[in-house]
Amino acid sequence: MRLLHTSDWHLGRQFHGLPLLDEQARAMDQLVDLAGEAAVDLVVIAGDLYDRAIPPADAVRLFTDTLARLRATGAAVVAIAGNHDSHVRVSVYDELLAAQGVTIRGRWQRAAEPVLVQPRDGGAAVAVYPLPYLEPLLDGPELQPAARPARLDHQQAMDCALLPIHADRARRPGCRSVLVAHAFVAGGRTSESERDLSVGNAEAVAVPTFAGFDYVALGHLHGSQELDGPRLAYSGTPLPYSFSEQHHVKSVRLVELDARGNPAVEVVPLEAGRPLRTLEGELEQLLADPRLEEARGAWVRALLTDEQLPLQAMARLRQRFPHAVELRHQPPERASLAASERSQRILQASDPLQRTLAFFADQQGRVPDPEEERLLREALAQAAARRP
């Protein structure tokens, strides 16, 4: 059986306040074309179908149109709710759509009801278990013995949700199995654009938790990566959604399961979306450097190292780089110190004036001139005079 693994579409998402729907539509076109050309038996979408629980109407239209076109290629479609999705809204027509070969599962209680996918070549059916993001289970009382804490953690929730799935698998000896899940698995590489599931790694799920499945199609992390060889993997997003993803190769995974369930994987790059570039240097250098011409068509983040932030810096940047969306001022002295070191230096100042002067120096990358220091002294004096 051949399946296409994709995830984290985040339809309706914006990039620094600018819409991405046109770029997302081009990515969807590539997915549909690939599903048809590769004659896949199944497309799995491992959560975060939308970017928020109540998506905009045009994002919903793009989603439903994409599902219809994927189904028209002859592939079955199995999708799950992610942590950005409304479990109720995305699966409201699950029972009706399932009869048409499209499954959108939002209820974890139905995860042990597999979708049986019959390969085009006539081989044995494959049991696909759609396990949505487990936030409802984390707060629900159904599987919490009295000895457990009031709230399950992600590892406990995953263990509980997999119990009935493994029980169903045991009733299907020799049947190949695929799990579709949305979670943070320990060892995965994160990026800035993912919504934290909790503080630190407290909510990570261990890799051995997913033993027994022939393939585990994961969603949540935005970079394409494998965690247990080709068997357990994230497909990543179809587009970059933050500058922390600028070095990702956005892709989907074509997975071929042989008769014994061994997966052979081809990672297929996608070419939709504007590239990302981070430029660093003084403003005049960035505006004049001919080597940066290729960045004109990219989303640009500029790290300016001028000692003082130039006037109208962003407006001037956009004259050369029309898609500049982020500017950070990092003068040499400030850039050389870690944020914690700079904060400590400010807090160690002996009195309010010295702290104010230290804060000014940190923000501007220089000490205040005499006139600026006079104004700061006056402001502090006025603030002190107003105290009761």
Side-chain angles (χ1 to χ4, degrees):
M1 187 192 77
R2 179 175 295 176
L3 69 89
L4 187 155
H5 171 196
T6 179
S7 73
D8 295 272
W9 289 359
H10 288 278
L11 298 181
R13 191 180 184 115
Q14 296 186 335
F15 190 82
H16 290 264
L18 299 171
L20 290 175
L21 202 68
D22 288 344
E23 295 180 27
Q24 290 176 326
R26 288 193 288 273
M28 298 300 101
D29 289 342
Q30 292 185 38
L31 288 173
V32 172
D33 291 344
L34 179 59
E37 293 166 3
V40 301
D41 302 296
L42 169 68
V43 176
V44 296
I45 313 166
D48 283 352
L49 315 174
Y50 299 110
D51 194 54
R52 57 182 185 266
I54 304 179
D58 50 4
V60 176
R61 283 193 293 269
L62 176 58
F63 179 68
T64 55
D65 175 70
T66 302
L67 291 190
R69 291 192 294 150
L70 286 172
R71 186 68 186 106
T73 68
V77 179
V78 173
I80 60 172
N83 60 299
H84 281 249
D85 299 311
S86 164
H87 293 67
V88 174
R89 288 187 177 89
V90 300
S91 62
V92 65
Y93 298 118
D94 186 23
E95 287 83 357
L96 293 174
L97 291 173
Q100 306 301 319
V102 175
T103 298
I104 309 177
R105 196 65 58 81
R107 297 180 59 221
W108 63 267
Q109 293 92 337
R110 298 191 61 203
E113 302 173 21
V115 179
L116 299 178
V117 178
Q118 187 69 46
R120 299 179 195 231
D121 63 8
V126 176
V128 182
Y129 295 93
L131 181 59
Y133 177 59
L134 293 174
E135 184 174 16
L137 175 57
L138 293 173
D139 296 315
E142 292 89 343
L143 299 178
Q144 295 184 25
R148 283 194 176 170
R151 184 181 188 278
L152 297 175
D153 63 27
H154 280 254
Q155 181 66 63
Q156 292 170 326
M158 186 64 71
D159 289 338
C160 289
L162 288 176
L163 283 174
I165 294 177
H166 286 308
D168 186 82
R169 289 182 58 247
R171 292 191 289 269
R172 304 174 189 275
C175 182
R176 294 170 293 175
S177 60
V178 172
L179 178 71
V180 187
H182 194 90
F184 173 44
V185 179
R189 300 184 304 275
T190 62
S191 60
E192 294 175 359
S193 49
E194 296 137 2
R195 181 183 296 170
D196 289 340
L197 301 183
S198 73
V199 177
N201 288 333
E203 305 293 10
V205 179
V207 168
T209 307
F210 302 99
F213 297 99
D214 295 306
Y215 185 74
V216 181
L218 293 171
H220 180 57
L221 299 185
H222 287 190
S224 174
Q225 53 196 291
E226 297 180 349
L227 295 174
D228 186 18
R231 189 190 69 86
L232 179 72
Y234 290 95
S235 67
T237 58
L239 297 176
Y241 291 130
S242 73
F243 281 101
S244 65
E245 300 178 41
Q246 70 181 56
H247 300 302
H248 290 183
V249 177
K250 295 304 179 180
S251 59
V252 296
R253 296 169 64 84
L254 278 178
V255 182
E256 186 88 37
L257 289 181
D258 67 16
R260 295 186 176 182
N262 300 309
V265 177
E266 178 186 1
V267 178
V268 182
L270 299 176
E271 297 179 355
R274 194 180 298 281
L276 308 181
R277 297 289 183 271
T278 296
L279 310 180
E280 183 173 0
E282 295 184 356
L283 178 60
E284 296 301 331
Q285 295 172 338
L286 300 184
L287 296 178
D289 191 341
R291 295 171 298 179
L292 302 181
E293 189 63 22
E294 51 86 25
R296 286 183 59 85
W299 297 117
V300 167
R301 171 176 62 178
L303 309 179
L304 296 187
T305 59
D306 303 75
E307 289 192 6
Q308 298 187 42
L309 182 63
L311 294 175
Q312 299 184 325
M314 179 59 90
R316 295 177 64 194
L317 271 171
R318 285 177 174 163
Q319 290 177 357
R320 185 178 187 193
F321 308 109
H323 307 289
V325 292
E326 182 178 341
L327 185 152
R328 299 183 184 179
H329 186 211
Q330 295 185 345
E333 180 184 359
R334 185 181 175 198
S336 66
L337 294 174
S340 60
E341 294 177 295
R342 301 200 312 268
S343 298
Q344 189 63 30
R345 185 178 63 180
I346 293 170
L347 292 174
Q348 287 174 346
S350 58
D351 59 56
L353 176 61
Q354 293 305 315
R355 288 185 183 179
T356 302
L357 296 178
F359 179 77
F360 181 98
D362 174 72
Q363 295 298 301
Q364 299 297 320
R366 60 179 179 83
V367 298
D369 62 31
E371 177 61 16
E372 290 168 333
E373 182 173 341
R374 183 186 68 78
L375 292 172
L376 290 171
R377 287 177 182 274
E378 287 183 2
L380 283 172
Q382 291 176 10
R386 291 185 181 135
R387 291 179 186 170

